[in-house]
Each structure stands twice: as C-alpha cells, then as structure tokens.
Amino acid sequence: METVRLARLGEIAIATIDNPPVNALGQALRADLARVITDAGSDPSVAAIVIAAAGRAFIAGADISEFGKPPVAPFLPDVLDAIETCTKPVVAAIQGAALGGGLEVALACHGRVASASAMLGLPEIKLGLIPGAGGTQRLPRLIGAAKAFPMMLSGEPVSAGKALELGLVDEVTGGDIVAAAVALAQTLVAGGAPEDGSDGPGRLTAADREAFEALATEAANKSGDMPNAMALIEAVRAAFTLPFTEGLATERALFMTLLADPRSKALRHVFFAEREIARVPGIDGAVKPRPIAKAAVIGAGTMGGGIAMCFANAGIPVTLIEQEQAQIDNGMNRVAAIYEMSVTRGSLTPQKRNERLALITPAVGLGAAADADIVIEAAFEEMGVKQQIFGALDGIAKPGALLASNTSYLDVPTIAAATKRPQDVLGMHFFSPANVMKLLEIVRPDGVADDAIVTAMALGRKLGKVPVVVGNGFGFVGNRMLEARTRATERLLVAGALPHEVDAALTGFGFKMGPCAMADLAGNDIGWRSRKARGQSAAVADAICEAGWFGQKTGRGYFLYPDGARTGQRDPEVEALIARVSQEKGVTRRSFSADEILSRLLDPMVNEGARILEEGIAARPGDIDVIWLNGYNWPAWRGGPMHWADTIGLGAIVARLEAQAAETGDKALEPAPLLRRLAAKGKGFADLKATTA
Ligand code: 3H9
C-alpha cells in the first residue's frame, strides 16, 4: 500500500501523504516520499510540488515505535535533503499537527502554508530527544535562534497564527489548504528556481546569538536530570558556529546518542502507555459515552470543592451540595479563594474567574442532584455515610445518571448495593488537590455498564485528567502501592535509617518529595486513624502521632517546620524517638546506603504492582506506570515503577525481595508468583499482554 498519492493540477504535482492514523514517518512513508520527490523533480512537465496530507494530522513526526529498532533506509535527513535540493519549488500544505519530523519536512520545503487550525511544534524534548532531522539548524535560520530555541526547549506547539507571526509559515488560510499551497507554488515558480535557503545565515545575526546565549545559560541552570537540554543548546549553537552540513551532522550525532539513552526509552514507553490507557480491555471501542451536560458534587470539603472546580474549568455547570448552609458557604468561600489566588498570580483573568464561579451552584440537600447527568460523591470516607448517600440518590437521580464515589479505599460494589442501579455506579478517584492533579482512577466494579465506564473516561479527558480504569480492591492501584512504600519506610526507620536519609534516597531518584516529607504535608494523623480503624500499627509513625506531631500543620512531624516553614529540618527528638522504638523492638540499628534504601522502598511497590496485575486490578503494567507518573510524582524519565523494574531486571528484584522476606519474616515481601514467573523466564513486565480489568 502506498503511503503517498501523487496527483496533478496542471503543472503542479500534489503529493498527498496518507498513512493513518497520524501520518507518522515510518520507513514506508519515508521511502514513498523520497520516490515521489525524485520522480516529480525529474519530470519535465512538473513545475512545482505540493506536499499535502490526508487525515487529522499533517505529519505527527518520526514513527516513535521504530525508535530502538535497527534504523532502515531511507533516513529522514536524506529525504529532507532531497526536498530541499529539489530544483523545483516544494510547498508544504500544513493542516492539523505538524510535529517533530513533520515540521522538519515542512522546514525543508521552500514554502509553507498552514490552515488556521494547524499546530506546529518540535516536541522531541518531551521524548528525551532533540530534533534529529535538521530542526535545530533550519528553524533558527528561518526565525532566529532566540525564537527557535524556546520552541524546541518547551516542545510546546504553536498555533498557525503564532507561526505566521514568527515567520515560520508564509501564509495562513481559513480556506482550501491545497489550493492556497498551489497558489504559493505558482508564485515561487514565477520567481525562478528555488534558492537552497538553508545554507545561508538566515536570521542568525550577532544580536540573535547574544539573545540565544542568555536563554541557553538560563536553560542550562534548570536542565536537571535530562541531558537533552544541554544537547539542544549544543546543536543550536552549532547553527552559529558551523556550516550547515556540519551543523546537521552535529545534531544527528547528538540525536543518536539521546535515542540510546535509557531516559528517552522511558519517556517513549510513557508516550505509548498514556495512549494505551484509552483501550479498556473487554469494552468495544464502538461503545458511545452518555451525554454529560450537568454535574453534581456531594460534599463541599477540599476534595468536593476541587472536583466542582474541575467541572467549572471545563465549562460544565455543576451543583455543589452540602447538608447545611454554613458548610456550603465555607466550601464556596474556599473555592472562591483558590480562584482568587490564580487571579493574583496572573494565571486567570477576573472575567474567567467570574465565569467559572457562575458555573458552580451551591445547594443544600441531595434533592439538588435531581437534574444532574453525573453525581460525584466526595463525602466522608466511611462506608455507612456513602451507603446512606447512594441509597438516597437512588430515589433522586434521574434514570441513566452516572453515580460515582470519590472513595480512595472503600469497596465500590458495597456502595453500589445501596442502589437498585449498580449498572450506573462506579468509582471516580480524584487526587488532591483535585483541580490540579492529573490522575483519575476510574474504578470498574462488576455489574457496571460498559457505557458508564466509557462515559467516565470521556468525561475525565474533558476535565483535563488522565483517566485510568482500575478494578475494585482496597486502595485500587495507586494507594495500594503507596501503602507498600509506607510500610517499607517504617521498616527502614526501625532498622536504622533516619527520615532525612529515606527522603534523600527518593529525591535523589527524582521524586520531588520523600515519603516522610510527604506524610508531613498530607498530615500523619490520616494514616494513623486509618491504621487504628483497621487494627494495624506502625511503631514509629504511631509514636510520632501520639506525640501530637501530625506534620506541617502542627509545625512538626517526621521533621521540624519552625515558623510555618515548608521545608522540614531534622528533629533530634524524632530521631531519638526512632532509636527508642528500635531498642524496644530489640533491633540493632545499622546504616543504609542510598541505593539500599531505594531498593527497599521500591521493590515492595513493584511486588504489589505484580499482585495488582495478577488480580486484574490493573489491565497492563503501563497503566500502573501512568498512575504513578500522574498521581504520585514518579519522575517521567524513570518510566514508572513497572518500567523501572524491567530496567533493573526482575531476577534481581526477586532475589532482593527474597532476602528481605527472610530477614524480616514478612510474608508480604515474598515475591509475587507473577514476578517469579517472569523472572524465571528472563522476561520483564513489558512482555505481558493485556489482561482484563
Ligand atoms: C521525531 O519526530 C524525531 C525527529 O526529529 C527526527 C527523526 C529522525 N509515532 O495521541 P493520539 C499514534 S520524534 C508513532 O491518541 P491525538 C498513537 O500512539 C516524534 N505513533 O491522537 C496512537 O496510536 P493508537 C515527534 C504515533 O489525535 C495514534 O497515533 N512527534 C505517533 O490525540 C493516535 O495518537 C511527537 O512527539 C508517532 N509520532 O493526537 C508527536 N504519534 O491509536 C506525537 C501518534 O494505536 N504525537 N501516534 O494508540 C502527538 O503528539 C499526538 O499523537 C498528536 C495526535 C497530537 C499527533
């Protein structure tokens, strides 16, 4: 099947790329494009060539699934060289997304027309890469490095209008894109043979260099753990210091090095995992979502208020419901204060704030949920409370309305059993602060209708969330694994590590915060109450709470927070308390290296993840990775816990868990059967096929 169709409009050859779904530049497309350019270029009856595209994207870039496999000719830089050196003008007709290699194709052309809705960008940085087919050399020459560098550094696409302003495209049209490109091609033909504009300095002036170097210094200071920002600086600098072809060679060498870097591999894994979550095992892709025009949220606490804001931010009217007027007044004041903060910071205009607030209707009593297409309960985390609410909602909500609980731990079927419509009841687990955090766990209990799940997924995306379907089970996916890490933290503290050492191991790995600082921020009393309710104990964590040290809100927890400080300091009293606990348990404390702390924190999480997969609570290892990246701050370039485990090797993780299980006598640390099976075969989680959620 050909991926490029060639047609003629008089003297103009029109090459239409058609490689669904997004015209990624796989080997077949590269070969077809090269052939068409050569053929049309050597055909004396052709005066100019237009490169157009069918479908929703112009070209989404290189085919990311080919990365990591042996490269097969023709290579993209060579195809682009053929376009650029073509003796006839070549014009790009850009509609939809022109990203990465897609924009690089357009940059190699002699003219560019964009449709008004087009998006143009070089997002390679987000995959741990830099543009690898001339983007770092051609874009600075075209629009100046001071404008090109920030585009490549952020990876964010620009609109057609902005592209015109930048000089990235020659024209923007609201009409027929191919007709506009043909017209530009004819103008270029009338102007004589195209210049190979790449070789000149373009806009690379001394002033531009100065502006670029200032931006480069700033970027270098912030580049953190990713090597590609530095590579990008080097490549763009080469546009000033080297002739074009040598600049291209420098860029290519840097690109190839980054391609082989495990950090880019992890980010590519995340790219595909984040798309895979849209496919829910066992649910036909043709199932349509129910319409959601109006929502209701029950409970105007921090969580409920945040969820109501998500709806308002997405333009969906929402009723925020409480039991009493004073409670709803408090809730609305809290929401208004958060919006006010955004206005003060300049991230929201007063008008937008007013529009959003106007979309939230405060109400007292569940009766106000009667006209909602979806009701999300965010009340107190107690089964009795939830059952009472759902029982009442059963008689109030309209037929077909989705009834969702925001529970973090509770059994969703038990909640659903309070209604006579279990087909409409599911979990929608938002993360705090709900208006900020991207993750949304959609809990799929037995008996819920497929279209209810599809509706929740579509709604989640509309709310700007990353929705992941999970099975029903205590703590679902994220919190269940978090609990494994919390238990590991407690074990480490008792065995000899100190809170700042545990946290440093995790921040050194790339997390923004360690488990002790995180507990202090969330409030240590939350876990304490939950342990007590379940008849569980954790000697260190319990003792800290018994002393009244609930974390930041009380000025001390695992760390000290004098005068409202946000960053904790070591607390000698806590360290003495921890030593006392070890002594009472008869443990001789020993020191732990950062690496050992890390594996003792993360291996049990991976083990729990394996159990979650075995039980079908998560459909795929990638789903777990997406959850940890979007809800728990796992560093993206580490790819998520299951991807990380694969990079370590499951055999090594099994051996470490076995040693820990033997040392502690803790059965939970014994490797999960799935982990053992994969390790025995020398395989990784990536080798697993999807199971049903
Ligand atoms: C690059 O270009 C390097 C060059 O500088 C140098 C080369 C030498 N490859 O996102 P969607 C698939 S690096 C392979 O759901 P949307 C995607 O997996 C690349 N597959 O659609 C999904 O498959 P499935 C730089 C790709 O409408 C399907 O297409 N480019 C690629 O929400 C639909 O995707 C980028 O980083 C690809 N490049 O958004 C752009 N792109 O249905 C990456 C998509 O089986 N792409 N797929 O799950 C995007 O940002 C979005 O996909 C796009 C469409 C905005 C285009």
Side-chain angles (χ1 to χ4, degrees):
M1 261 228 335
E2 296 207 336
T3 56
V4 184
R5 291 192 303 270
L6 197 56
R8 284 290 287 273
L9 203 67
E11 295 182 314
I12 313 292
I14 298 165
T16 304
I17 294 171
D18 192 1
N19 189 28
V22 290
N23 296 330
L25 287 155
Q27 193 274 337
L29 174 52
R30 295 195 303 274
D32 286 346
L33 192 56
R35 183 177 41 73
V36 161
I37 296 294
T38 312
D39 289 355
S42 58
D43 182 341
S45 67
V46 170
I49 304 163
V50 165
I51 300 180
R56 63 184 196 261
F58 173 65
I59 303 172
D63 185 337
I64 302 167
S65 66
E66 284 184 358
F67 291 165
K69 297 178 190 159
V72 184
F75 305 123
L76 192 56
D78 300 331
V79 181
L80 302 201
D81 185 55
I83 293 174
E84 189 160 60
T85 55
C86 184
T87 51
K88 294 159 186 178
V90 185
V91 173
I94 304 167
Q95 106 289 342
L99 299 174
L103 182 56
E104 288 173 306
V105 167
L107 286 169
C109 293
H110 309 106
R112 285 157 291 279
V113 180
S115 63
S117 59
M119 297 297 287
L120 302 88
L122 292 168
E124 287 88 343
I125 200 99
K126 296 182 181 177
L127 296 169
L129 302 169
I130 61 168
T136 66
Q137 306 304 298
R138 290 191 179 99
L139 190 61
R141 280 177 167 79
L142 187 64
I143 66 171
K147 287 179 182 157
F149 177 68
M151 248 183 97
M152 294 185 270
L153 186 67
S154 74
E156 288 303 320
V158 297
S159 65
K162 180 75 185 168
L164 186 64
E165 198 184 305
L166 288 167
L168 176 47
V169 296
D170 301 289
E171 190 185 324
V172 173
T173 175
D176 184 331
I177 182 74
V178 175
V182 167
L184 177 62
Q186 282 162 339
T187 312
L188 293 177
V189 171
E195 275 182 34
D196 178 1
S198 60
D199 215 4
R203 301 208 175 172
L204 298 175
T205 60
D208 185 45
R209 172 90 192 254
E210 201 177 314
F212 158 70
E213 290 297 348
L215 294 169
T217 306
E218 199 183 312
N221 291 337
K222 285 198 213 143
S223 78
D225 295 301
M226 289 304 298
N228 54 342
M230 297 312 292
L232 182 64
I233 292 171
E234 194 181 334
V236 175
R237 190 171 287 136
F240 290 100
T241 57
L242 296 175
F244 180 64
T245 47
E246 284 175 44
L248 284 181
T250 301
E251 174 200 84
R252 187 73 180 164
L254 289 163
F255 174 81
M256 295 310 282
T257 306
L258 291 167
L259 200 57
D261 191 295
R263 287 168 282 198
S264 170
K265 197 170 170 211
L267 289 165
R268 273 138 46 198
H269 159 74
V270 172
F271 176 85
F272 287 113
E274 285 189 340
R275 277 150 185 89
E276 189 91 36
I277 53 170
R279 279 186 283 273
V280 184
I283 297 189
D284 189 328
V287 174
K288 293 270 167 297
R290 302 176 193 177
I292 301 281
K294 194 153 194 278
V297 175
I298 298 169
T302 315
M303 209 60 202
I307 298 171
M309 288 173 75
C310 294
F311 281 101
N313 297 351
I316 302 172
V318 55
T319 308
L320 185 58
I321 301 173
E322 261 298 353
Q323 285 172 303
E324 288 168 22
Q325 191 62 42
Q327 292 169 315
I328 192 66
D329 289 346
N330 278 342
M332 286 303 288
N333 286 341
R334 213 173 5 244
V335 167
I338 297 172
Y339 278 136
E340 196 51 46
M341 231 144 60
S342 304
V343 172
T344 311
R345 272 202 310 266
S347 57
L348 192 70
T349 62
Q351 192 199 337
K352 276 259 174 291
R353 181 236 0 240
N354 295 345
E355 281 168 18
R356 289 180 186 185
L357 275 173
L359 283 169
I360 307 178
T361 308
V364 173
L366 292 181
D371 62 348
D373 300 305
I374 178 166
V375 185
I376 300 184
E377 164 276 316
F380 198 62
E381 185 76 342
E382 204 181 280
M383 185 53 88
V385 173
K386 309 246 180 212
Q387 282 196 306
Q388 201 187 358
I389 290 173
F390 276 76
L393 278 178
D394 201 19
I396 293 168
K398 64 186 196 186
L402 234 59
L403 305 182
S405 173
N406 176 52
T407 180
S408 323
Y409 289 98
L410 298 176
D411 187 60
V412 179
T414 309
I415 298 173
T419 73
K420 286 187 244 20
R421 39 172 122 175
Q423 73 280 3
D424 299 331
V425 182
L426 43 71
M428 285 180 81
H429 181 205
F430 289 77
F431 288 72
S432 189
N435 54 313
V436 176
M437 295 297 290
K438 288 250 177 242
L439 178 61
L440 176 62
E441 281 184 332
I442 293 175
V443 187
R444 181 187 184 187
D446 286 345
V448 71
D450 286 357
D451 69 339
I453 294 294
V454 170
T455 307
M457 289 284 286
L459 175 65
R461 279 192 292 269
K462 190 151 188 214
L463 299 185
K465 302 295 172 198
V466 177
V468 186
V469 174
V470 298
N472 180 61
F474 183 82
F476 315 119
V477 173
N479 281 353
R480 179 167 160 187
M481 288 171 70
L482 181 66
E483 195 161 280
R485 195 182 77 180
T486 306
R487 282 197 299 268
T489 302
E490 173 78 15
R491 268 195 304 272
L492 276 162
L493 295 177
V494 173
L498 289 170
H500 70 280
E501 293 169 334
V502 175
D503 278 18
L506 219 56
T507 50
F509 180 76
F511 277 88
K512 289 211 177 78
M513 225 182 241
C516 298
M518 194 181 128
D520 279 354
L521 180 67
N524 295 318
D525 49 324
I526 298 174
W528 186 40
R529 282 206 196 94
S530 150
R531 281 193 298 280
K532 281 209 272 199
R534 289 184 279 150
Q536 293 177 353
S537 66
V540 171
D542 291 350
I544 286 177
C545 286
E546 275 150 24
W549 303 336
F550 292 163
Q552 285 200 23
K553 61 186 170 191
T554 58
R556 62 196 297 186
Y558 286 93
F559 301 109
L560 274 175
Y561 302 88
D563 306 322
R566 312 277 295 190
T567 313
Q569 297 170 4
R570 287 177 64 173
D571 183 344
E573 277 190 69
V574 166
E575 293 182 10
L577 176 154
I578 292 172
R580 220 164 36 243
V581 169
S582 304
Q583 199 181 17
E584 280 162 17
K585 287 182 172 287
V587 175
T588 308
R589 293 178 65 78
R590 72 162 173 98
S591 63
F592 288 86
S593 70
D595 280 351
E596 198 178 357
I597 292 176
L598 196 64
S599 60
R600 282 180 178 239
L601 288 174
L602 303 189
D603 294 352
M605 284 176 55
V606 170
N607 204 22
E608 204 59 41
R611 290 197 190 101
I612 284 169
L613 286 169
E614 271 170 338
E615 293 166 24
I617 301 289
R620 296 158 287 239
D623 292 19
I624 298 179
D625 289 339
V626 170
I627 285 173
W628 268 80
L629 252 70
N630 290 286
Y632 300 85
N633 202 239
W634 185 285
W637 54 272
R638 298 271 197 188
M642 310 318 271
H643 177 85
W644 171 80
D646 280 356
T647 65
I648 298 294
L650 300 191
I653 292 187
V654 164
R656 294 194 307 221
L657 282 166
E658 276 171 345
Q660 263 207 80
E663 176 193 314
T664 58
D666 185 345
K667 288 239 174 301
L669 289 171
E670 278 169 14
L674 173 65
L675 195 53
R676 279 192 198 283
R677 267 201 314 279
L678 287 172
K681 291 186 201 152
K683 295 197 165 180
F685 288 111
D687 298 308
L688 281 178
K689 292 270 172 288
T691 62
T692 41

